[in-house]
Amino acid sequence: MFQEHQEHINMSKYFNEEAIEQAKTPRKEEEAEDTIQTNLDKITVSQETELSPAFDPIQRINNGFKHFKINEFNKYPDYYRELAEKQEPKFLMFACSDSRVSPTNILNLRPGEAFMARNIANMVPEFNQLKHAGVGAIIEYAILALKVEVILVIGHSRCGGIGRLISLPDEETSYDFIDDWVKIGETAKAKVLAEHPHASGEELQTLVEKESVMNSLGNLLSYPYVRSGIADKKLKLLGGYYDFVCGNFQTFEVDDIKPTTNIQE
């Protein structure tokens, strides 16, 4: 994932530098338009060559929806009629954006059962109205508007985001957004390294993946609506770990989560 991202960064850098050089020499409007079109054509050709010739995205989307329409929507009209009026999910789930980790599939969820939040390495940042408003809005809406009863944070095996976290600091490669985001898990990484100084490779990766879930659960306590929900016994926090290599799912209840230092009243 990181290699593909770097290739896109390099391609963008190439076109930006080329555009700067062209801007140094005045040209006629027609010549400038031709240059822009040439660069756009290069990008288009590059994108087309990256796609498998056998893969038709529109056809795949249509086929997927037809399957859903026949086997779900048309088969259970009453269910979807009620769902159209309102949603009452019991869960708010934080899961990784990894294409191999879809809670809907691995937990056999139906539409309406879970309010979803997916991001790199399934992380929950501390309460911060300026830096992480998107995550905060999801949590706030799920608790105050939807009245969810459970927040489940799902970690998983061979997580690329956790792998990047472990590799930091990296002076050779940097990313615009990824590095800053995965640093949310620095506390989890430090804890694992302190408790397991000799861990390495896959063992270290798994330990940090699981501890990162605990770190996110702790960060959830920095949100006032989460603490209020727990205090009123209307909300429960759970952790999960999906090992897609062995096909196992582990759920753990957490009664002694340590809150972060960034508590919001």
Side-chain angles (χ1 to χ4, degrees), residues 200-218:
S200 62
E202 188 173 344
E203 178 189 10
L204 176 61
Q205 172 90 15
T206 301
L207 288 170
V208 178
E209 286 165 351
K210 292 183 177 181
E211 188 59 41
S212 180
V213 171
M214 299 298 294
N215 183 63
S216 287
L217 290 171

Side-chain angles (χ1 to χ4, degrees), residues 57-67:
I58 301 300
Q59 189 62 49
R60 175 61 186 87
I61 292 170
N62 289 340
N63 289 343
F65 181 72
K66 287 178 182 177
H67 183 273

Side-chain angles (χ1 to χ4, degrees), residues 12-264:
S12 299
K13 179 180 178 183
Y14 166 76
F15 288 120
N16 288 337
E17 291 176 348
E18 183 175 309
I20 292 172
E21 289 300 321
Q22 292 164 354
K24 291 180 180 178
T25 305
R27 296 189 177 195
K28 294 180 180 180
E29 185 177 347
E30 293 79 3
E31 293 177 337
E33 290 178 353
D34 289 342
T35 301
I36 294 173
Q37 186 59 50
T38 299
N39 285 342
L40 290 174
D41 290 341
K42 289 179 181 178
I43 296 174
T44 301
V45 171
S46 175
Q47 291 175 336
E48 288 177 349
T49 55
E50 290 176 0
L51 293 175
S52 170
F55 176 62
D56 184 341
I58 301 300
Q59 189 62 49
R60 175 61 186 87
I61 292 170
N62 289 340
N63 289 343
F65 181 72
K66 287 178 182 177
H67 183 273
F68 165 76
K69 188 73 181 297
I70 295 171
N71 295 282
E72 268 288 328
F73 195 87
N74 291 346
K75 195 172 182 179
Y76 305 101
D78 292 339
Y79 179 80
Y80 285 97
R81 190 177 299 110
E82 292 179 8
L83 196 60
E85 296 302 320
K86 62 178 178 178
Q87 59 169 325
E88 294 180 315
K90 300 298 184 182
F91 290 93
L92 163 58
M93 294 187 180
F94 281 91
C96 187
S97 298
D98 193 306
S99 61
R100 301 165 292 185
V101 186
S102 172
T104 299
N105 296 100
I106 63 178
L107 299 181
N108 194 31
L109 299 172
R110 298 184 73 187
E113 286 193 86
F115 196 59
M116 293 289 183
R118 299 184 66 175
N119 59 52
I120 297 295
N122 45 268
M123 291 186 176
V124 180
E126 292 182 343
F127 184 102
N128 188 320
Q129 289 178 288
L130 299 178
K131 194 173 183 180
H132 302 298
V135 175
I138 292 172
I139 296 171
E140 183 178 25
Y141 187 78
I143 296 174
L144 300 185
L146 298 179
K147 311 296 183 184
V148 298
E149 299 177 10
V150 180
I151 300 180
L152 172 64
V153 179
I154 305 172
H156 71 94
S157 57
R158 298 183 179 179
C159 179
I162 295 298
R164 180 59 183 172
L165 170 63
I166 294 173
S167 72
L168 296 177
D170 181 356
E171 297 180 357
E172 296 183 0
T173 307
S174 64
Y175 296 94
D176 293 333
F177 301 102
I178 299 169
D179 291 353
D180 184 58
W181 175 259
V182 298
K183 285 178 182 177
I184 292 169
E186 281 283 9
T187 302
K189 173 185 172 181
K191 185 173 185 293
V192 170
L193 291 176
E195 296 178 354
H196 305 272
H198 302 296
S200 62
E202 188 173 344
E203 178 189 10
L204 176 61
Q205 172 90 15
T206 301
L207 288 170
V208 178
E209 286 165 351
K210 292 183 177 181
E211 188 59 41
S212 180
V213 171
M214 299 298 294
N215 183 63
S216 287
L217 290 171
N219 286 345
L220 279 167
L221 294 179
S222 66
Y223 294 81
Y225 1 96
V226 173
R227 293 198 309 280
S228 295
I230 293 174
D232 295 339
K233 299 187 182 303
K234 294 180 179 179
L235 183 66
K236 186 179 186 64
L237 303 186
L238 293 176
Y241 184 80
Y242 172 48
D243 184 342
F244 56 65
V245 178
C246 301
N248 296 328
F249 192 93
Q250 175 186 5
T251 304
F252 39 93
E253 296 188 35
V254 187
D255 297 322
D256 58 346
I257 305 173
K258 295 181 179 179
T260 59
T261 56
N262 186 27
I263 299 296
Q264 300 296 316

